[in-house]
Amino acid sequence: MTPDPKYPELRRRRFRPIPVRMLVPNVITLLAICAGLTAIRLSIEGRMELAVAAIVFAAVLDGVDGRVARMIKGQSKFGAELDSLADFVNFGVAPGLMLYFWQLQELNNGGWIAAMVFAIAGGLRLARFNASIDDPNKPAFAANYFTGVPAPAGAILAMLPFYLAFLGVPKPPAMLTAGYILLIAFLMVSRLPVFSGKTVRMRVPPEMVLPVFVSVVFFVALLIGYPWHILSIGSVLYLLSLPWGWKSYRDHERKAVLAAQPAAATEATAPSAPAATFSPAPGDTEEERPSRLN
């Protein structure tokens, strides 16, 4: 195909080189999709421990790609859409199928419905998140909270029956597992405020840098050595922290309402400008004025 001689700049613009920094976050997102799809395959083959590890790895990559994009200024609309697709596959479809192949298939159609509802809830949660990013009516403090449990956290929570089974806990009844993942699906699509910590700016004093490094290394070593213990404890603590996030949001909301009341009262008591009076021009009598002005 030869370029149109009338518009030679179109071909140059179409094949404009793309900076490498714009590609790095998308490559990380694609690796996360590969991990999610691999988890589905491993669950079909019955290798559930590796499947769960793949989803956890995808969650780690999901937390990294956005921060890397902001760090190297590699954000793009394409990357945002790709990230949403990856989250739906990794944290909606994959965990639902894994739970179905592991136990929910014992309930036949009921188990499939539960897995499908969880996957759909993940998709709806992501769609609502994308639609509310640029909401101009959102208060300033709301930027520090998610609306509903985020999809990666929902996937980690939904796999709690896996962690307990890997620790030797007897497998719960299939009906109980189905009820649990439906509860997580409800938390994902609910309006529950969940603390995110996105806007919290943490600074480490110079004397605490080395202890922080040691703590991070210690936590990673614990996660590698005792993954199911750490994931089980973390999931339970996260569920217990949900009421705290709701209470914190309500406190901020109450403070915002109280702060707005004095401002509204000041505006109401402020003296208003005197209304302009109209004096008829000479010769403009009631009889000469029309009865209706169109």
Side-chain angles (χ1 to χ4, degrees):
M1 178 179 178
T2 59
D4 190 344
K6 296 182 180 179
Y7 306 100
E9 69 278 3
L10 292 180
R11 184 172 180 85
R12 291 196 299 268
R13 187 161 57 241
R14 180 179 298 176
F15 295 98
R16 183 176 55 187
I18 300 176
V20 176
R21 61 181 174 81
M22 303 293 292
L23 301 178
V24 173
N26 296 330
V27 170
I28 297 175
T29 304
L30 290 174
L31 290 176
I33 296 178
C34 293
L37 295 175
T38 302
I40 296 176
R41 175 192 171 180
L42 292 171
S43 64
I44 295 174
E45 296 175 352
R47 296 186 284 177
M48 290 301 176
E49 292 193 13
L50 292 177
V52 173
I55 295 298
V56 174
F57 180 64
V60 173
L61 292 179
D62 179 75
V64 168
D65 60 358
R67 287 169 175 79
V68 170
R70 289 188 292 271
M71 186 183 304
I72 65 177
K73 294 180 172 58
Q75 304 100 315
S76 64
K77 185 173 179 57
F78 175 83
E81 297 298 332
L82 182 63
D83 186 70
S84 295
L85 175 62
D87 288 352
F88 176 62
V89 173
N90 298 337
F91 311 126
V93 177
L97 290 177
M98 290 166 57
L99 287 163
Y100 177 77
F101 293 135
W102 181 62
Q103 188 183 35
L104 294 182
Q105 59 184 344
E106 299 175 8
L107 301 177
N108 299 321
N109 290 336
W112 175 247
I113 291 173
M116 187 167 52
V117 168
F118 178 82
I120 292 174
L124 294 175
R125 168 68 178 78
L126 293 166
R128 183 179 64 188
F129 175 78
N130 293 338
S132 62
I133 288 178
D134 300 324
D135 185 6
N137 299 321
K138 185 184 297 185
F141 65 86
N144 211 29
Y145 296 86
F146 292 118
T147 302
V149 173
I156 298 298
L157 293 175
M159 294 189 299
L160 179 60
F162 284 120
Y163 314 147
L164 298 177
F166 298 156
L167 291 175
V169 178
K171 185 184 295 187
M175 188 64 69
L176 181 60
T177 303
Y180 174 72
I181 68 167
L182 289 176
L183 172 63
I184 301 301
F186 171 76
L187 292 175
M188 291 169 66
V189 299
S190 68
R191 305 292 300 179
L192 179 70
V194 179
F195 186 74
S196 66
K198 283 186 175 182
T199 61
V200 176
R201 297 183 179 274
M202 300 181 64
R203 294 183 177 272
V204 180
E207 65 274 8
M208 294 298 296
V209 171
L210 291 181
V212 167
F213 283 159
V214 173
S215 300
V216 171
V217 172
F218 179 70
F219 175 78
V220 173
L222 282 178
L223 185 60
I224 295 175
Y226 305 94
W228 314 129
H229 296 80
I230 299 301
L231 290 172
S232 299
I233 295 173
S235 299
V236 173
L237 291 178
Y238 190 91
L239 289 172
L240 294 178
S241 70
L242 294 180
W244 175 78
W246 176 83
K247 181 180 181 303
S248 175
Y249 184 89
R250 293 305 177 193
D251 291 341
H252 281 92
E253 193 175 39
R254 195 177 300 110
K255 291 178 182 178
V257 172
L258 293 176
Q261 287 178 352
T266 303
E267 292 179 359
T269 56
S272 58
T277 58
F278 173 77
S279 58
D284 190 9
T285 61
E286 294 290 337
E287 291 79 7
E288 295 174 349
R289 286 201 301 268
S291 58
R292 178 180 301 175
L293 296 177
N294 293 326

